[in-house]
Amino acid sequence: MREMDFEEVYDAQTRERLQREFSRLKDVAYLDHTGATLYPEGLVEAISSDLRINLYGNPHALNSSSRLSSDVVEQTRERVLSFFGTSSLKYDVIFTSGATQALAIVANCFSWRDGQAYAYFAESHTSVVGVRQVAAQRGAKIIPITQEKIESIFNKNSPIGAQGGLFAFPGQCNFSGAKYPLKWVDKIRQRGDWSVLLDAASLAATSRLDLSSISPDFVCISFYKIFGLPTGLGALLVSLGAEERLEKNYFGGGTVLMALASGKLRHELRPVLHERIEDGTINFLDIVQLGQAFKYFANLIPGGMSSVEEHTFRLAKYLFHALSDLKHFNDKPLAVIYQDNNFKSKTQQGPIVNFNLKRADETFIGFSEVLHLCNLFNVHVRTGCFCNPGACQRHLKMTVDELEQQFEAGHVCGDAIDLLGGRPTGSVRASVGYCSTKEDMDALVGLVKKCFLETTPSKDRSDLRLENLETNASKEPRLSRLFLYPVKSCGAQEVQSWPLDHKGLVGDRGWMVATDASTPLTQKTCPRMCLVKPTLDLENNVLHLSFPGMSDVSISILHDRSSNDSSSSKICGVMVQTVDCGDQVAEWLSLALEISGLRLLQQWSDDLRKQKKGNANLSLSNQSQFLLVGLSSLASLEKQVAESAAEDECCEGENLLQRFRCNMIVTGWPAFEEKMLKAIKIGGVILKSDGPCTRCQMVCIDQRKGDKTVEPLRTIAAAGQGKMQFGIYFSQLRSMRDKHNIFVGSPVKKIEVV
């Protein structure tokens, strides 16, 4: 499909309304709707108004507020059934925390008969696969249905492998977006005493699920995937004919007619299915929100889910063809797209485009590299295997042995290890939602073209600044430059000498800018932070901050924790103790960075935060006390960037050096010598290596201006075959004296750890 072939589904009025509803998406392309779709602003206002006006009590009580809650809950049950084309004459609705809990209820309550099995599509969500553990414990045979076996069972009438039990399959694959024919529900039943479990979490998010034409025994739903809100609510729809297959042992509050706590151990469960399954107080306020969501969406999109299905499919098809058309200068395709039907029909394919990228030499580009650059340019995608190991295995052509080898090599679900042996461990998923636009698709395609499409062979350039600097440097390794960064993620302060303490350079990352939620603000989300220039004056006990176009602000370095408000924050998942630096600097930062509610927090000197891997004390830095880079390594990278980058993407000399935000620059080593070192001695200080620094999109921010570029991350990833590493972490092993300064010009000696 080319741009001229794209035809809008929504009318102009609907598109304009959606633009107003999602004003927060300005300059953002959100393409993770399969993970969680977005809520419109008007829905938030409707929910807020409802909760302000009405008084909702615990539905297990009999007072007026409780009766109101009970009435709304039961009305919403009916709305759920109506939305899916059925009624309480055919189905009951059990509210859950999401589709996963719905699956867990079936797993724990399903009554397995002798000789029965649990059969499931191998390319299902992990939560569907996980049912097998309970089934196996109950004596059921486990039958994974691979893609090849699906074809054999449904088209060639091959046996399933058992005469009955529980058969689970997804309406839509959450990895590739492939849709499975819902008529298979009846075909499965014709093969024996099978109960059918339909995982509709992915399908129902953008397609109309009509239960008037099919009757699976169990249907699992997550409502946030459809409406964006509420996020803690799903449902298990149970056909009335399947009630007898669910047998419950545990009983909680609200599920019994009577219960004796001692003496005779007797209890009587309530007769209505949802009343005996929903243990304890249900999430009644989320159910109130769900009721509002049904009302709001009924008027938001003309044509309802049928229009959403057509709209999202057309956009995904447009994206599929746009990515498929991208070719490198040597006519090699840039994108490898994981799909089975070429997006021919919305009945076969949902709005998911799953892909990896390749370079012109046909080596894979790791999904972490793609993700970092997407984050840099505000394109939100998801990476990994998406909790669907079966689909990931087939599409990436991995064997069971290879998957186990990857695990033994340290790769686990959800990590950032994207390439092992040059082969991808996962992929990039772009998923489309009801509020997505063609501009979102173009943003992703434009980013992929800008960052990864090779239009010409590598070019040769010489006479580069860093290379010349290193050539003219002393042959003896020396510390040539020294930097600290008093405020985390803000500008550098270059010094000629500086004292050390038990956390590294005194005051390095001693402060951080925090949002109103007490989370650190970084250049990843606010590139302008690089323009905030801190100067730490230890002699006068003052921190000065400057920003272009504003008067400077100064604060005293705090030593008495009782003088200001103490608080706790998290850095890399570890709690740190901080103190607020006051309103004046907070207002100054909010004005400079154009973000309301910012605060400047200082870490307490006696905060004992430790490395995750190691025993060194840390300031507010992420991984280690020091980051060191060899000047020859920078010169080598400068040359590689110049050979491969477009003219406007080149970053040379000081511009390149500042992007790595290192503490120490060393001259006199061959390129990348620092990677081989176990320990070094600078003056009287011994530092041990903590390993390479894995880079993220922050190196693509020009520290002089705050502008974003593709380089040098693209070149680092290509040179490292997907390993985005540059620079080495170091921490103090021991100091020769209690107090010590480190000086520019000091010799740097390689030593063995002692």
Side-chain angles (χ1 to χ4, degrees):
M1 180 181 286
R2 304 296 184 266
E3 183 174 353
M4 67 183 67
D5 299 323
F6 182 80
E7 184 178 351
E8 295 282 1
V9 174
Y10 299 159
D11 59 30
Q13 184 177 1
T14 301
R15 296 198 301 274
E16 289 172 5
R17 179 177 178 183
L18 287 172
Q19 188 174 17
R20 293 193 301 271
E21 292 278 9
F22 293 94
S23 58
R24 65 187 185 277
L25 291 183
K26 182 181 179 182
D27 300 324
V28 174
Y30 182 86
L31 293 172
D32 188 24
H33 290 271
T34 298
T37 199
L38 301 177
Y39 52 84
E41 294 174 13
L43 175 58
V44 177
E45 294 167 1
I47 290 170
S48 177
S49 176
D50 188 352
L51 296 179
R52 285 198 309 269
I53 293 171
N54 293 301
L55 181 63
Y56 294 106
N58 189 316
H60 285 169
L62 297 176
N63 57 59
S64 299
S65 59
S66 299
R67 287 188 176 276
L68 176 60
S69 295
S70 297
D71 289 344
V72 171
V73 167
E74 295 314 309
Q75 290 170 10
T76 306
R77 281 190 214 276
E78 292 297 330
R79 281 186 173 272
V80 170
L81 294 171
S82 176
F83 186 78
F84 294 118
T86 188
S87 73
S88 56
L89 297 176
K90 289 184 63 180
Y91 281 91
D92 196 0
V93 176
I94 299 168
F95 283 118
T96 66
S97 63
T100 293
Q101 190 194 5
L103 288 160
I105 289 173
V106 177
N108 291 316
C109 297
F110 191 79
S111 57
W112 303 92
R113 296 165 185 159
D114 290 344
Q116 290 198 326
Y118 176 54
Y120 62 93
F121 281 15
E123 297 187 20
S124 293
H125 193 279
T126 303
S127 300
V128 174
V129 178
V131 174
R132 73 185 184 196
Q133 294 302 102
V134 180
Q137 290 173 0
R138 304 279 172 83
K141 181 181 179 181
I142 306 302
I143 306 175
I145 309 294
T146 63
Q147 194 73 9
E148 295 76 13
K149 198 170 182 180
I150 289 173
E151 177 75 18
S152 177
I153 289 173
F154 292 105
N155 295 332
K156 299 178 182 178
N157 214 30
S158 297
I160 295 174
Q163 292 303 308
L166 181 64
F167 194 117
F169 75 96
Q172 175 178 293
C173 176
N174 72 309
F175 182 95
S176 67
K179 289 183 178 180
Y180 299 104
L182 298 184
K183 64 183 180 182
W184 286 354
V185 171
D186 292 331
K187 284 192 173 186
I188 294 167
R189 284 216 189 88
Q190 294 167 6
R191 309 295 291 277
D193 184 21
W194 290 100
S195 295
V196 181
L197 168 59
L198 176 65
D199 175 15
S202 180
L203 176 70
T206 52
S207 299
R208 183 168 183 263
L209 175 61
D210 185 2
L211 295 179
S212 67
S213 58
I214 58 165
S215 299
D217 298 280
F218 310 105
V219 183
C220 302
I221 299 292
S222 283
F223 291 111
Y224 72 92
K225 293 182 181 291
I226 305 173
F227 304 124
L229 282 175
T231 56
L233 193 66
L236 172 64
L237 277 57
V238 182
S239 95
L240 300 188
E243 283 190 36
E244 61 182 20
R245 298 304 303 267
L246 299 182
E247 296 179 355
K248 188 165 177 278
N249 292 316
Y250 172 82
F251 62 91
T255 64
V256 295
L257 294 172
M258 63 86 68
L260 300 178
S262 62
K264 190 175 182 180
L265 304 184
R266 180 187 174 191
H267 72 279
E268 295 291 337
L269 291 172
R270 291 185 177 274
V272 177
L273 180 64
H274 68 258
E275 290 180 350
R276 63 177 182 265
I277 296 289
E278 293 171 348
D279 291 302
T281 301
I282 57 177
N283 196 344
F284 62 93
L285 289 181
D286 269 11
I287 296 172
V288 169
Q289 294 181 45
L290 178 60
Q292 288 293 340
F294 279 122
K295 294 177 188 176
Y296 200 82
F297 272 76
N299 298 314
L300 183 63
I301 307 292
M305 293 306 293
S306 296
S307 292
V308 170
E309 183 175 19
E310 183 66 32
H311 169 74
T312 55
F313 172 71
R314 289 190 189 181
L315 287 174
K317 184 175 182 179
Y318 172 81
L319 178 60
F320 165 70
H321 285 287
L323 289 174
S324 300
D325 286 346
L326 296 178
K327 301 290 198 313
H328 292 295
F329 67 90
N330 57 0
D331 208 36
K332 299 294 184 182
L334 172 59
V336 179
I337 302 177
Y338 305 115
Q339 51 82 36
D340 296 310
N341 52 62
N342 287 322
F343 286 71
K344 292 178 181 177
S345 168
K346 65 183 178 184
T347 62
Q348 298 176 310
Q349 178 66 40
I352 293 173
V353 181
N354 194 314
F355 63 94
N356 270 313
L357 300 178
K358 281 186 169 184
R359 296 184 173 87
D361 63 4
E362 298 191 277
T363 58
F364 278 99
I365 298 169
F367 62 71
S368 290
E369 180 183 353
V370 179
L371 179 62
H372 283 311
L373 289 166
C374 283
N375 287 339
L376 181 68
F377 291 102
N378 290 326
V379 177
H380 297 234
V381 295
R382 188 165 175 178
T383 57
C385 275
F386 323 106
C387 296
N388 195 323
C392 193
Q393 178 183 349
R394 177 172 72 90
H395 284 287
L396 299 185
K397 299 178 180 176
M398 293 185 287
T399 66
V400 171
D401 287 344
E402 288 170 336
L403 289 172
E404 290 185 326
Q405 289 168 9
Q406 289 183 356
F407 176 72
E408 297 301 328
H411 171 53
V412 297
C413 293
D415 68 15
I417 299 176
D418 51 7
L419 295 173
L420 283 173
R423 296 181 61 186
T425 63
S427 56
V428 181
R429 185 183 73 186
S431 53
V432 181
Y434 73 94
C435 59
S436 298
T437 65
K438 177 178 172 293
E439 287 71 25
D440 295 334
M441 312 303 115
D442 290 337
L444 176 58
V445 174
L447 179 147
V448 169
K449 290 172 65 176
K450 177 181 176 68
C451 298
F452 303 106
L453 187 66
E454 299 175 43
T455 56
T456 58
S458 298
K459 52 185 179 296
D460 184 28
R461 289 184 60 187
S462 56
D463 194 28
L464 297 169
R465 303 172 198 171
L466 294 177
E467 189 171 43
N468 292 335
L469 283 173
E470 179 59 20
T471 300
N472 297 327
S474 167
K475 296 303 180 184
E476 181 185 10
R478 292 185 179 277
L479 180 64
S480 67
R481 300 181 72 174
L482 184 63
F483 301 91
L484 66 147
Y485 305 83
V487 182
K488 182 180 178 67
S489 220
C490 290
Q493 177 180 352
E494 186 168 8
V495 294
Q496 294 302 304
S497 67
W498 201 257
L500 301 177
D501 63 13
H502 63 293
K503 298 177 184 177
L505 295 168
V506 171
D508 182 40
R509 277 91 169 185
W511 290 258
M512 73 176 189
V513 181
T515 67
D516 53 7
S518 296
T519 57
L521 185 70
T522 71
Q523 290 186 33
K524 292 180 182 180
T525 54
C526 181
R528 288 165 58 90
M529 291 183 74
C530 68
L531 303 179
V532 176
K533 302 297 183 184
T535 303
L536 187 57
D537 182 350
L538 296 179
E539 183 177 350
N540 294 300
N541 201 47
V542 172
L543 174 67
H544 304 283
L545 299 178
S546 64
F547 189 85
M550 292 181 61
S551 299
D552 294 357
V553 66
S554 300
I555 61 169
S556 298
I557 301 173
L558 301 171
H559 299 289
D560 180 8
R561 72 167 63 202
S562 64
S563 63
N564 288 70
D565 292 334
S566 297
S567 62
S568 297
S569 303
K570 270 191 175 183
I571 300 291
C572 296
V574 178
M575 296 300 299
V576 293
Q577 299 302 310
T578 58
V579 62
D580 193 290
C581 295
D583 293 338
Q584 180 187 9
V585 69
E587 292 171 3
W588 186 91
L589 285 167
S590 295
L591 183 62
L593 300 178
E594 300 178 351
I595 300 174
S596 62
L598 298 180
R599 308 296 299 183
L600 184 66
L601 305 181
Q602 179 185 337
Q603 182 190 26
W604 281 116
S605 59
D606 57 357
D607 181 65
L608 298 179
R609 177 180 172 234
K610 298 282 188 181
Q611 289 175 302
K612 287 186 177 180
K613 296 180 180 180
N615 197 42
N617 294 306
L618 294 183
S619 63
L620 302 178
S621 59
N622 286 352
Q623 303 291 340
S624 194
Q625 293 180 344
F626 307 96
L627 177 61
L628 181 148
V629 173
L631 187 60
S632 289
S633 305
L634 281 165
S636 175
L637 176 64
E638 179 189 46
K639 185 174 183 179
Q640 292 177 67
V641 170
E643 289 172 350
S644 61
E647 199 69 35
D648 61 348
E649 285 290 336
C650 281
C651 42
E652 301 171 358
E654 192 71 12
N655 180 4
L656 180 63
L657 183 150
Q658 292 290 347
R659 290 170 182 244
F660 291 99
R661 300 177 60 80
C662 53
N663 297 108
M664 301 173 179
I665 301 289
V666 174
T667 61
W669 281 338
F672 306 108
E673 174 78 4
E674 60 268 29
K675 295 171 65 175
M676 313 303 295
L677 304 178
K678 294 181 179 179
I680 58 175
K681 185 177 180 181
I682 304 178
V685 180
I686 297 176
L687 306 178
K688 66 177 181 66
S689 172
D690 291 327
C693 174
T694 298
R695 311 310 309 206
C696 67
Q697 67 265 30
M698 275 183 61
V699 298
C700 295
I701 298 172
D702 185 339
Q703 296 295 300
R704 304 166 304 173
K705 306 175 184 177
D707 295 341
K708 301 175 183 178
T709 62
V710 174
E711 295 294 354
L713 189 65
R714 177 172 60 183
T715 296
I716 293 171
Q721 295 183 325
K723 292 183 178 180
M724 293 176 288
Q725 297 173 344
F726 196 87
I728 303 297
Y729 287 124
F730 283 88
S731 59
Q732 297 176 85
L733 184 64
R734 60 186 174 88
S735 178
M736 300 297 289
R737 295 185 293 274
D738 291 337
K739 293 183 179 180
H740 202 88
N741 276 39
I742 195 165
F743 296 89
V744 170
S746 296
V748 180
K749 300 183 182 300
K750 296 181 280 187
I751 63 173
E752 294 296 323
V753 178
V754 293

